[in-house]
């Protein structure tokens, strides 16, 4: 018997309203209010996409980076609380993050 069932037993007359329903986070990743900044740079002549501004836990940050890398089939890394993806994938990354419920802000060209 989970917590929901116990609460139903204690308060049988209570009706769940729309704003009280649980909101599930996809894959357990914490969704923040501030936008994630998605920017493009060239380092040593090669294009990279940089994501910064995520304020969640490190484990969630790593899950997000791994998911992006596998969906795009590209390499990347995590350094100093930023995700660095090889190549210019700003549009695809922004679409993936918006579908997950994040706010994304595009910076640079």
């Amino acid at each position: 018997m989970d917590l929901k069932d116990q609460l139903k037993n204690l308060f049988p007359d209570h009706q769940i309203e729309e704003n009280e329903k649980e909101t599930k986070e996809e894959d357990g990743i914490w969704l923040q209010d501030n936008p994630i900044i998605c920017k493009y740079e060239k380092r040593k002549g090669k294009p990279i996409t940089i994501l910064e501004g995520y304020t969640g836990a490190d484990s969630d940050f790593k899950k997000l980076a791994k998911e992006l890398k596998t969906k795009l089939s590209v390499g990347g890394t995590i350094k100093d609380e930023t995700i660095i993806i090889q190549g210019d994938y700003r549009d695809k990354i922004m679409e993936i993050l918006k579908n997950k419920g994040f706010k994304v802000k595009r910076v640079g060209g």
Side-chain angles (χ1 to χ4, degrees), residues 3 5 9 13 16 20 26 38-39 43 55 58-60 70-71 73 75 78 82 93 96 98 104 107:
L3 184 60
D5 294 333
N9 289 339
D13 297 334
I16 297 176
E20 289 183 17
E26 276 191 36
C38 182
K39 62 184 178 179
R43 291 187 182 170
T55 58
D58 287 340
S59 60
D60 290 346
T70 54
K71 282 189 177 182
S73 301
I78 301 172
T82 61
I93 290 173
I96 292 169
K98 284 180 183 177
V104 185
V107 176

Side-chain angles (χ1 to χ4, degrees), residues 1-32:
M1 181 181 265
D2 64 344
L3 184 60
K4 259 187 177 177
D5 294 333
Q6 291 176 358
L7 288 173
K8 284 180 185 177
N9 289 339
L10 288 173
F11 305 104
D13 297 334
H14 179 72
Q15 299 294 326
I16 297 176
E17 294 179 10
E18 289 298 319
N19 59 358
E20 289 183 17
K21 286 185 179 177
E22 291 182 30
T23 56
K24 287 191 175 183
E25 300 168 357
E26 276 191 36
D27 304 325
I29 295 176
W30 181 74
L31 302 176
Q32 65 185 21

Side-chain angles (χ1 to χ4, degrees), residues 10-97:
L10 288 173
F11 305 104
D13 297 334
H14 179 72
Q15 299 294 326
I16 297 176
E17 294 179 10
E18 289 298 319
N19 59 358
E20 289 183 17
K21 286 185 179 177
E22 291 182 30
T23 56
K24 287 191 175 183
E25 300 168 357
E26 276 191 36
D27 304 325
I29 295 176
W30 181 74
L31 302 176
Q32 65 185 21
D33 295 331
N34 298 332
I36 294 178
I37 297 172
C38 182
K39 62 184 178 179
Y40 168 78
E41 284 185 11
K42 278 194 171 185
R43 291 187 182 170
K44 297 182 182 176
K46 300 191 180 196
I48 60 169
T49 305
I50 300 174
L51 299 171
E52 53 189 23
Y54 184 70
T55 58
D58 287 340
S59 60
D60 290 346
F61 197 59
K62 289 178 183 178
K63 284 182 193 175
L64 183 62
K66 183 170 181 160
E67 183 177 339
L68 288 172
K69 291 189 296 185
T70 54
K71 282 189 177 182
L72 297 171
S73 301
V74 296
T77 187
I78 301 172
K79 287 187 179 177
D80 301 326
E81 297 182 6
T82 61
I83 299 174
I84 300 172
I85 303 288
Q86 296 174 352
D88 183 12
Y89 293 100
R90 285 176 293 179
D91 296 329
K92 292 179 183 178
I93 290 173
M94 288 174 64
E95 183 180 325
I96 292 169
L97 291 176

